[in-house]
Amino acid sequence: MALTDLARTGTARTAGARSAAEPDAVRGGGVLVHEWIERTGGAERVLDHLVEEFPEAPVMCLWDDAPGRYPGTTVRESVLARTPLRRHKALTAPLMPSVWHRPWPGVEDPEWVLATSHSFGHHFCTGPAARGARTLAYVHTPARFLWAPESDPRGRHPVVGLAAPALRRVDRRRARRLDDVAANSRFVRARIALSWGRDARVIHPPVDVAALTRVADWADEVAGDERAVLDSLPAAFVLGASRLVAYKRLDLVIRAGEAVGLPVVLVGEGPQAGRLAELAAAASVPVRFVGAVSDALLRALMQRALAYVFPPVEDFGILPVEAMALGAPTVVNAEGGARESVERLGLGVVAESLDDAGLRRAVEAAAALPRADVSALAERTFGVRRFRREVRDWVDGG
């Protein structure tokens, strides 16, 4: 099948299983665009709230790996969803701009189009399906594999490397045609200016602070085997929690514990588990891996930790906000969007250096902070209602 045919073909489905051959046309109203839908992820949290705020808007995506996540909402996939390429994002990267930019079946004369983008989803906004619409992009980051390949292994794939110069030219040109752009942090706003040569407003992503603070002591919500895990932990420990992947830098959490002479607790699963286990075995302090845990146990761990250490360079970083809202003094990298939440909420320390001395200073300073209740400030600054209000005002032309 030719690329032009790929781009013109899509599938549509809702909870009512609409026919892919006869998708309902979108006339007027709005359209939401999302790169691809996964079962978990920060980008999906944003999409969850956009779907709730704009329930009549269909969602366009390259593929949907969480069918049924949005009951009652039309989710329309590209033809890439019906090929093996959906499992190989690096190989699809050179195709994405064309797939997004071609006509999509059943989309006619929308009033506005809002894309959440960390790759090429915003290209839909400048294609024929969005013609005449007000075009908006909520940007988690310009595609890292394209603009910062040193931070994304997909950018080092030979296919992406060959296509990168042309893709950057197309990406910059189409980004400049958007009517308005929002970044999820000041850090990403600066990256947008550097990559695309245009400004953006900042709308921080939604953090469900209300759900975090509905329970005074999350240990009361932990039972069974997880309760046994919680009860077996030391009274004071340094906490790290994320997927066990290289860029999350959980090795630095182990080093932070060694620097202050405290045990380390690591939450999560992933491909770096073996390497981290080797580092833990050689560490001068005990390191406890607790694997994937429930929300209740993670929140209880945050409430009990002497400090939560979050070393990666993230575009924003939802977990540090959650930790501070739960009362955990938090250490974050000076580079990236997480420092913005520490600066706004105050219950944390920005580590200007991630060597052993810098980690020791940061963890000791965080542990010395009074455990002030910053949940009300976190709700006003990063909460769900704030996000939905700001996005609604933006879509309405504010």
Side-chain angles (χ1 to χ4, degrees), residues 15 41 113 136 141 147 156-157 168 207 264 284 306 316-317 328 361 374-375 380 392:
V113 177
L136 310 169
T141 179
W147 295 102
R156 298 190 287 273
H157 193 286
R168 282 194 289 267
V207 181
V264 175
S284 59
L306 185 73
F316 173 69
R361 287 192 298 269
V374 300
S375 58
R380 291 195 303 273
R392 171 64 72 174

Side-chain angles (χ1 to χ4, degrees), residues 3-25:
L3 178 58
T4 53
D5 295 328
L6 284 175
R8 289 191 178 94
T9 308
T11 60
R13 67 166 176 266
T14 67
R18 288 184 184 140
S19 167
E22 299 179 357
D24 290 349

Side-chain angles (χ1 to χ4, degrees), residues 128-207:
R131 193 160 292 148
R134 184 165 181 260
T135 57
L136 310 169
Y138 184 84
V139 180
H140 299 288
T141 179
R144 281 189 295 269
F145 62 82
L146 195 63
W147 295 102
E150 69 282 355
S151 67
D152 189 329
R154 290 175 296 170
R156 298 190 287 273
H157 193 286
V159 173
V160 177
L162 287 172
L167 289 174
R168 282 194 289 267
R169 288 193 296 272
V170 171
D171 193 45
R172 184 183 293 113
R173 183 172 67 249
R174 291 178 181 171
R176 288 177 174 177
R177 292 175 182 170
L178 295 163
D179 289 321
D180 207 353
V181 175
N184 71 357
S185 65
R186 295 195 306 271
F187 177 69
V188 170
R189 180 186 183 185
R191 188 181 286 166
I192 289 170
L194 183 64
S195 302
W196 295 344
R198 66 169 302 166
D199 196 13
R201 67 180 72 200
V202 175
I203 300 177
H204 293 300
V207 181

